[in-house]
Amino acid sequence: MAAPRDRVAHLLRQLQRAACQCPSHSHTYSQAPGLSPSGKTTDYAFEMAVSNIRYGAGVTKEVGMDLQNMGAKNVCLMTDKNLSQLPPIQTVMDSFVKNGINFKVYDNVRVEPTDRSFMEAIEFAKRGAFDAYVAMGGGSTIDTCKAANLYASSPDSDFLDYVNAPIGKGKPVTAPLKPLIAVPTTSGTGSETTGVAIFDYEHLKVKTGIASRAIKPTLGLIDPLHTLYLPERVIANSGFDVLCHALESYTALPYHMRSPCPANPVTRPAYQGSNPISDIWAVHALRIVAKYLKRAVRNPDDLEARSNMHLASAFAGIGFGNAGVHLCLTAFLWYSPPPQCSLSRHRCLLSATWRWQKYWVLITENGPRDPQTRNQNTGKGHQACTTPSVRRGSVCSV
């Protein structure tokens, strides 16, 4: 066992040093250099930041009352063109009307947002002078709304001020933001729990983002009834998002091995490395995925399965939103099945997921739970990951 463990420990150190050049995942450039007050060069603490969460079938109907309780007078409702035509958005607007909430709708959110689409939403938010926001949709909508809230609340800031370095300046967010209620309609990103907003920076053709605890939603309303409108492919692909978020946050370099140590708590990144609290959420999300993802894909009327996947998305979000993710999973999520495979892409990936189960079962049920020995646990999981179709997108291929 010593050799596999040494290889995994070496891999994690290499990942930290390389820092994954994808700016979406890396916070190497945004951490302040220098020694911490304790004199340590690696971090010695972690901080948990999570949105308030309310879960329940039909809970979306309460959004108008929440805004009324917040004293909101002028609300921005953000969504996309497709969702704006579906019943979930009507539920939100009915709740606004019933509770006397004045609102304007922005439905020009781009799926897989760019810096340009972010800035269009930001301009709308600035013109509207809103005192609260509601984001209804998938991660693209929620992330766009986070950015709109941030820059409308800090109108003199340049767009790149808060974007992760090295693309942007990675400045800490100090301006007070308006309340933001996130109503997720997909089961994948967990954006309702995190302080991260991801987008494509078109000029450099890279994916990057804004990461700050300050931009996390005030409240996430997780209503499993919305998942009944999701087609099979969306359930499958977003389910893989949950799987990857949970696996990566659990196997991320432990927080006490991350460097440099921040000289000031305000510069401690949102992605801090695996820690005992994030671990709990990540492992629980993995167990739910193993039990319910296949059911949720196969039967669109299986409310139990789709409800649990909706929760798993939030659980994984709590995990990776604080621990971070450490691999670029484009290869895993978007590779085409081999020519001899008769399955569609997402079915091929779904088949591969159950082989992943061997990986995380060993992680979660064997070995020490002390973060000091995390590399030993991942060694066991890494050793079990031998299936070519899985290895293509796993740590084995790095």
Side-chain angles (χ1 to χ4, degrees):
M1 289 297 296
R5 288 174 180 173
D6 290 343
R7 284 199 298 271
V8 171
H10 174 71
L11 172 64
L12 291 173
R13 292 191 190 98
Q14 288 295 106
L15 286 168
Q16 182 196 21
R17 282 195 288 268
C20 177
Q21 296 306 308
C22 166
S24 171
H25 295 149
S26 172
H27 288 264
T28 295
Y29 303 99
S30 63
Q31 297 184 45
L35 295 177
S36 70
S38 67
K40 292 181 177 291
T41 55
T42 57
D43 211 340
Y44 62 97
F46 67 91
E47 181 176 338
M48 293 296 294
V50 182
S51 306
N52 290 334
I53 295 297
R54 185 183 306 146
Y55 172 87
V59 75
T60 304
K61 295 177 181 178
E62 297 180 358
V63 65
M65 288 182 282
D66 287 316
L67 292 166
Q68 193 178 67
N69 294 338
M70 294 174 183
K73 305 295 184 184
N74 184 28
V75 176
C76 174
L77 171 59
M78 284 203 175
T79 189
D80 62 63
K81 294 289 186 185
N82 291 330
L83 190 60
S84 66
Q85 307 300 317
L86 296 176
I89 204 73
Q90 189 62 49
T91 302
V92 170
M93 292 191 290
D94 288 346
S95 183
F96 287 172
V97 172
K98 182 178 179 180
N99 291 278
I101 303 297
N102 295 318
F103 67 96
K104 291 182 181 178
V105 178
Y106 181 82
D107 63 359
N108 203 32
V109 168
R110 175 189 166 103
V111 177
E112 298 300 332
T114 65
D115 54 321
R116 184 182 305 174
S117 70
F118 265 18
M119 286 188 278
E120 289 173 358
I122 290 166
E123 286 305 311
F124 181 86
K126 287 180 177 179
R127 291 195 303 269
F130 302 108
D131 57 10
Y133 295 82
V134 174
M136 185 166 203
S140 296
T141 297
I142 298 173
D143 286 2
T144 299
C145 199
K146 290 174 185 176
N149 188 12
L150 169 61
Y151 289 97
S153 301
S154 182
D156 297 328
S157 297
D158 181 75
F159 180 73
L160 291 179
D161 281 352
Y162 299 120
V163 174
N164 296 339
I167 304 300
K169 299 176 183 177
K171 290 183 177 180
V173 177
T174 56
L177 273 63
K178 301 297 190 292
L180 190 164
I181 299 177
V183 188
T185 56
T186 61
S187 303
T189 68
S191 185
E192 68 275 10
T193 70
T194 73
V196 180
I198 303 299
F199 67 95
D200 292 326
Y201 189 57
E202 294 181 301
H203 178 66
L204 297 179
K205 294 180 168 44
V206 297
K207 186 175 287 291
T208 184
I210 302 164
S212 171
R213 297 174 188 88
I215 69 172
K216 70 182 187 301
T218 310
L219 173 65
L221 295 180
I222 303 177
D223 188 339
L225 295 180
H226 300 323
T227 64
L228 297 177
Y229 295 93
L230 296 177
E232 175 187 351
R233 181 176 292 273
V234 174
I235 287 289
N237 289 341
S238 60
F240 273 91
D241 217 7
V242 178
L243 172 70
C244 295
H245 284 159
L247 275 173
E248 289 195 64
S249 64
Y250 189 86
T251 57
L253 200 71
Y255 73 94
H256 56 80
M257 296 174 64
R258 295 286 293 265
S259 62
C261 185
N264 189 303
V266 74
T267 61
R268 180 168 282 115
Y271 287 176
Q272 305 159 84
S274 60
N275 60 77
I277 300 178
S278 285
D279 287 352
I280 294 171
W281 296 100
V283 170
H284 195 48
L286 288 169
R287 290 186 173 127
I288 294 174
V289 169
K291 184 175 181 180
Y292 290 107
L293 176 56
K294 188 155 51 174
R295 281 176 49 182
V297 171
R298 288 176 173 173
N299 183 1
D301 297 320
D302 191 338
L303 183 58
E304 180 188 8
R306 293 201 167 192
S307 297
N308 276 279
M309 285 303 299
H310 214 32
L311 268 181
S313 176
F315 292 168
I318 295 171
F320 94 86
N322 291 280
V325 289
H326 61 89
L327 293 177
C328 292
L329 283 160
T330 303
F332 182 57
L333 287 174
W334 295 108
Y335 84 90
S336 298
Q340 67 272 21
C341 181
S342 61
L343 300 175
S344 63
R345 177 171 58 83
H346 77 273
R347 285 191 180 277
C348 185
L349 287 170
L350 198 60
S351 175
T353 303
W354 316 127
R355 300 188 185 104
W356 267 102
Q357 189 170 352
K358 298 177 183 177
Y359 173 76
W360 68 263
V361 164
L362 284 173
I363 290 177
T364 58
E365 295 184 0
N366 297 316
R369 298 295 302 139
D370 185 350
Q372 300 278 356
T373 54
R374 171 60 48 72
N375 57 345
Q376 297 177 12
N377 284 346
T378 50
K380 294 180 181 180
H382 193 276
Q383 188 180 36
C385 180
T386 58
T387 306
S389 61
V390 176
R391 195 165 59 243
R392 190 174 306 184
S394 73
V395 271
C396 306
S397 65
V398 177

Coordinates of all heavy atoms in Angstrom, one line a residue, residues 203-252:
H203 N -12.4 37.0 -24.3 CA -11.2 37.6 -24.9 C -10.0 36.6 -24.8 O -9.3 36.4 -25.8 CB -10.8 38.8 -24.1 CG -9.5 39.5 -24.6 ND1 -9.4 40.0 -25.9 CD2 -8.3 39.6 -24.0 CE1 -8.2 40.5 -26.1 NE2 -7.5 40.2 -25.0
L204 N -9.9 35.8 -23.7 CA -8.8 34.8 -23.6 C -9.3 33.4 -23.8 O -8.5 32.5 -23.8 CB -8.2 35.0 -22.2 CG -7.5 36.3 -21.9 CD1 -6.9 36.2 -20.5 CD2 -6.4 36.6 -22.9
K205 N -10.6 33.3 -24.1 CA -11.2 31.9 -24.3 C -10.9 31.0 -23.1 O -10.4 29.8 -23.3 CB -10.7 31.3 -25.6 CG -11.2 32.1 -26.8 CD -10.7 31.4 -28.1 CE -11.4 32.0 -29.4 NZ -11.5 33.4 -29.4
V206 N -11.1 31.5 -21.9 CA -10.9 30.7 -20.7 C -12.1 30.8 -19.8 O -12.9 31.7 -19.9 CB -9.7 31.1 -19.9 CG1 -8.4 31.0 -20.7 CG2 -9.8 32.6 -19.4
K207 N -12.3 29.8 -19.0 CA -13.3 29.8 -18.0 C -12.7 30.3 -16.6 O -11.7 29.7 -16.2 CB -14.0 28.4 -17.8 CG -15.2 28.4 -16.9 CD -15.9 27.0 -16.9 CE -16.6 26.8 -18.2 NZ -17.8 27.6 -18.3
T208 N -13.3 31.2 -16.0 CA -12.8 31.8 -14.8 C -14.1 32.1 -13.9 O -15.2 31.6 -14.2 CB -11.9 33.0 -15.0 OG1 -11.4 33.4 -13.7 CG2 -12.6 34.1 -15.6
G209 N -13.9 32.9 -12.9 CA -15.0 33.2 -12.1 C -14.7 34.2 -11.0 O -13.7 34.8 -11.0
I210 N -15.7 34.4 -10.2 CA -15.6 35.3 -9.0 C -15.9 34.4 -7.8 O -16.8 33.7 -7.8 CB -16.6 36.5 -9.0 CG1 -16.5 37.3 -10.3 CG2 -16.5 37.4 -7.8 CD1 -17.6 38.2 -10.7
A211 N -15.0 34.5 -6.8 CA -15.2 33.6 -5.6 C -15.0 34.5 -4.4 O -14.0 35.0 -4.1 CB -14.1 32.5 -5.6
S212 N -16.1 34.6 -3.6 CA -16.1 35.4 -2.4 C -17.3 34.9 -1.6 O -18.4 34.8 -2.1 CB -16.2 36.9 -2.7 OG -16.4 37.6 -1.5
R213 N -17.1 34.8 -0.3 CA -18.2 34.4 0.6 C -19.3 35.5 0.6 O -20.5 35.2 0.8 CB -17.7 34.2 2.0 CG -16.7 33.1 2.2 CD -16.1 33.0 3.6 NE -15.1 32.0 3.6 CZ -13.8 32.3 3.3 NH1 -13.5 33.5 3.0 NH2 -12.9 31.3 3.4
A214 N -18.9 36.7 0.2 CA -19.9 37.8 0.3 C -20.9 37.7 -0.8 O -22.0 38.3 -0.6 CB -19.1 39.2 0.1
I215 N -20.7 36.9 -1.9 CA -21.7 36.9 -2.9 C -22.6 35.7 -2.8 O -23.5 35.5 -3.7 CB -21.0 36.9 -4.3 CG1 -20.3 35.6 -4.6 CG2 -20.1 38.1 -4.5 CD1 -19.8 35.5 -6.1
K216 N -22.5 34.9 -1.8 CA -23.4 33.7 -1.7 C -24.8 34.2 -1.5 O -25.0 35.3 -0.9 CB -22.9 32.8 -0.6 CG -23.1 33.4 0.8 CD -22.6 32.4 1.9 CE -23.0 32.9 3.3 NZ -22.4 34.2 3.6
P217 N -25.8 33.4 -1.9 CA -27.2 33.8 -1.7 C -27.6 34.0 -0.3 O -27.0 33.3 0.6 CB -28.0 32.7 -2.4 CG -27.0 32.1 -3.4 CD -25.7 32.3 -2.8
T218 N -28.5 34.8 0.0 CA -29.0 35.0 1.4 C -29.8 33.8 1.8 O -29.7 33.3 2.9 CB -29.9 36.2 1.5 OG1 -29.2 37.4 0.9 CG2 -30.2 36.5 2.9
L219 N -30.5 33.2 0.8 CA -31.4 32.1 1.1 C -31.5 31.3 -0.2 O -31.7 31.8 -1.3 CB -32.8 32.6 1.5 CG -34.0 31.6 1.6 CD1 -33.7 30.6 2.8 CD2 -35.3 32.3 1.8
G220 N -31.5 30.0 0.0 CA -31.7 29.1 -1.1 C -33.1 28.3 -0.9 O -33.2 27.7 0.2
L221 N -34.0 28.4 -1.8 CA -35.3 27.7 -1.7 C -35.2 26.5 -2.6 O -35.3 26.6 -3.8 CB -36.4 28.6 -2.1 CG -36.7 29.9 -1.3 CD1 -37.9 30.6 -1.8 CD2 -37.0 29.5 0.2
I222 N -35.1 25.3 -2.0 CA -34.9 24.1 -2.7 C -36.3 23.4 -2.8 O -36.7 22.8 -1.8 CB -33.8 23.2 -2.1 CG1 -32.5 24.0 -2.0 CG2 -33.7 21.9 -2.9 CD1 -31.4 23.2 -1.3
D223 N -36.9 23.5 -3.9 CA -38.2 23.0 -4.2 C -38.2 21.8 -5.1 O -38.0 22.0 -6.3 CB -39.1 24.1 -4.7 CG -40.6 23.7 -4.8 OD1 -40.9 22.5 -4.8 OD2 -41.5 24.6 -4.9
P224 N -38.3 20.6 -4.7 CA -38.1 19.4 -5.6 C -39.1 19.3 -6.7 O -38.9 18.6 -7.6 CB -38.1 18.2 -4.6 CG -38.9 18.7 -3.4 CD -38.5 20.1 -3.3
L225 N -40.2 20.0 -6.5 CA -41.3 19.9 -7.6 C -40.7 20.4 -8.9 O -41.2 20.0 -10.0 CB -42.5 20.7 -7.2 CG -43.3 20.2 -6.0 CD1 -44.5 21.1 -5.7 CD2 -43.7 18.7 -6.2
H226 N -39.8 21.3 -8.9 CA -39.2 21.9 -10.1 C -38.5 20.8 -10.9 O -38.4 21.0 -12.1 CB -38.3 23.1 -9.8 CG -38.9 24.2 -9.1 ND1 -40.2 24.6 -9.4 CD2 -38.5 25.0 -8.1 CE1 -40.6 25.6 -8.6 NE2 -39.5 25.9 -7.8
T227 N -37.9 19.8 -10.3 CA -37.2 18.8 -11.0 C -38.0 17.9 -11.9 O -37.5 17.3 -12.8 CB -36.4 17.9 -10.0 OG1 -37.3 17.2 -9.2 CG2 -35.5 18.7 -9.1
L228 N -39.3 17.9 -11.7 CA -40.2 17.1 -12.5 C -40.3 17.7 -13.9 O -40.8 17.0 -14.8 CB -41.6 17.1 -11.9 CG -41.7 16.4 -10.5 CD1 -43.1 16.5 -10.0 CD2 -41.2 15.0 -10.6
Y229 N -39.8 18.9 -14.1 CA -39.9 19.5 -15.5 C -38.6 19.2 -16.2 O -38.4 19.6 -17.4 CB -40.1 21.0 -15.4 CG -41.4 21.4 -14.8 CD1 -41.6 21.6 -13.4 CD2 -42.5 21.5 -15.6 CE1 -42.8 21.9 -12.9 CE2 -43.8 21.8 -15.1 CZ -43.9 22.0 -13.8 OH -45.2 22.4 -13.2
L230 N -37.6 18.5 -15.6 CA -36.3 18.3 -16.2 C -36.3 17.1 -17.1 O -36.7 16.0 -16.7 CB -35.2 18.2 -15.1 CG -34.9 19.4 -14.2 CD1 -33.9 19.0 -13.2 CD2 -34.5 20.6 -15.1
P231 N -35.8 17.2 -18.3 CA -35.7 16.0 -19.2 C -34.6 15.1 -18.7 O -33.7 15.5 -17.9 CB -35.4 16.6 -20.6 CG -34.8 17.9 -20.3 CD -35.4 18.4 -19.0
E232 N -34.6 13.9 -19.2 CA -33.7 12.8 -18.8 C -32.2 13.3 -19.0 O -31.4 13.0 -18.1 CB -33.9 11.6 -19.7 CG -33.0 10.4 -19.5 CD -33.2 9.3 -20.5 OE1 -34.2 9.4 -21.2 OE2 -32.4 8.4 -20.5
R233 N -31.9 13.9 -20.1 CA -30.5 14.3 -20.3 C -30.0 15.3 -19.3 O -28.9 15.2 -18.8 CB -30.3 14.8 -21.7 CG -28.9 15.2 -22.1 CD -28.8 15.7 -23.5 NE -29.0 14.6 -24.4 CZ -28.0 13.8 -24.8 NH1 -26.8 13.9 -24.4 NH2 -28.3 12.8 -25.7
V234 N -30.9 16.2 -18.9 CA -30.5 17.2 -18.0 C -30.2 16.6 -16.6 O -29.3 16.9 -15.9 CB -31.5 18.4 -17.9 CG1 -31.2 19.3 -16.8 CG2 -31.6 19.1 -19.2
I235 N -31.1 15.7 -16.2 CA -30.9 15.0 -15.0 C -29.6 14.2 -14.9 O -28.9 14.2 -13.9 CB -32.1 14.0 -14.7 CG1 -33.4 14.8 -14.3 CG2 -31.8 13.0 -13.6 CD1 -33.4 15.4 -12.9
A236 N -29.3 13.5 -16.0 CA -28.1 12.8 -16.1 C -26.8 13.7 -16.0 O -25.9 13.4 -15.2 CB -28.0 11.9 -17.4
N237 N -26.8 14.7 -16.9 CA -25.6 15.5 -16.9 C -25.5 16.3 -15.6 O -24.4 16.5 -15.1 CB -25.7 16.5 -18.1 CG -25.6 15.8 -19.4 OD1 -25.0 14.7 -19.5 ND2 -26.0 16.4 -20.5
S238 N -26.6 16.9 -15.1 CA -26.4 17.6 -13.8 C -26.1 16.7 -12.7 O -25.4 17.1 -11.7 CB -27.7 18.4 -13.5 OG -28.8 17.5 -13.4
G239 N -26.6 15.4 -12.7 CA -26.2 14.4 -11.7 C -24.7 14.2 -11.7 O -24.1 14.0 -10.6
F240 N -24.1 14.2 -12.9 CA -22.6 14.1 -12.9 C -21.9 15.3 -12.3 O -20.8 15.1 -11.8 CB -22.2 13.8 -14.3 CG -22.2 12.4 -14.7 CD1 -23.3 11.8 -15.3 CD2 -21.1 11.6 -14.4 CE1 -23.4 10.5 -15.6 CE2 -21.1 10.2 -14.7 CZ -22.3 9.7 -15.3
D241 N -22.5 16.4 -12.4 CA -22.0 17.6 -11.7 C -21.9 17.4 -10.2 O -20.9 17.7 -9.5 CB -22.9 18.8 -12.0 CG -22.1 20.1 -12.2 OD1 -20.8 20.0 -12.2 OD2 -22.7 21.1 -12.4
V242 N -23.0 16.8 -9.7 CA -23.0 16.5 -8.2 C -21.9 15.5 -7.9 O -21.1 15.7 -6.9 CB -24.4 15.9 -7.8 CG1 -24.4 15.6 -6.3 CG2 -25.5 16.9 -8.1
L243 N -21.8 14.4 -8.7 CA -20.8 13.4 -8.4 C -19.4 14.0 -8.4 O -18.6 13.8 -7.5 CB -20.9 12.3 -9.5 CG -19.8 11.3 -9.6 CD1 -19.9 10.4 -8.4 CD2 -19.8 10.5 -10.9
C244 N -19.1 14.8 -9.5 CA -17.7 15.4 -9.6 C -17.5 16.4 -8.5 O -16.4 16.4 -7.9 CB -17.6 16.0 -10.9 SG -17.7 14.8 -12.3
H245 N -18.4 17.2 -8.2 CA -18.2 18.2 -7.1 C -17.9 17.5 -5.8 O -17.0 17.9 -5.0 CB -19.5 19.0 -6.9 CG -19.7 20.1 -7.9 ND1 -20.9 20.7 -8.2 CD2 -18.8 20.7 -8.8 CE1 -20.8 21.6 -9.1 NE2 -19.5 21.6 -9.5
A246 N -18.7 16.5 -5.5 CA -18.5 15.8 -4.2 C -17.1 15.0 -4.1 O -16.4 15.1 -3.2 CB -19.6 14.8 -3.9
L247 N -16.8 14.3 -5.2 CA -15.6 13.6 -5.3 C -14.4 14.5 -5.2 O -13.4 14.2 -4.4 CB -15.5 12.8 -6.6 CG -16.1 11.4 -6.6 CD1 -16.1 10.8 -8.0 CD2 -15.5 10.4 -5.6
E248 N -14.4 15.6 -5.9 CA -13.3 16.5 -5.9 C -13.1 17.2 -4.6 O -12.0 17.4 -4.2 CB -13.4 17.5 -7.1 CG -13.2 16.8 -8.4 CD -13.0 17.9 -9.5 OE1 -12.0 18.6 -9.4 OE2 -13.9 18.0 -10.4
S249 N -14.2 17.6 -4.0 CA -14.0 18.4 -2.7 C -13.5 17.4 -1.6 O -12.7 17.8 -0.8 CB -15.3 19.0 -2.3 OG -16.3 18.0 -2.0
Y250 N -13.9 16.1 -1.7 CA -13.5 15.2 -0.7 C -12.0 14.8 -0.9 O -11.3 14.6 0.1 CB -14.3 13.9 -0.8 CG -14.0 12.9 0.4 CD1 -14.7 13.1 1.6 CD2 -13.1 11.9 0.2 CE1 -14.4 12.2 2.6 CE2 -12.8 11.1 1.3 CZ -13.4 11.2 2.5 OH -13.1 10.4 3.5
T251 N -11.5 14.8 -2.1 CA -10.2 14.4 -2.4 C -9.2 15.6 -2.6 O -8.1 15.4 -3.0 CB -10.1 13.5 -3.6 OG1 -10.6 14.1 -4.8 CG2 -10.8 12.2 -3.4
A252 N -9.7 16.8 -2.4 CA -8.9 18.0 -2.5 C -7.8 18.0 -1.4 O -7.9 17.3 -0.4 CB -9.7 19.2 -2.4

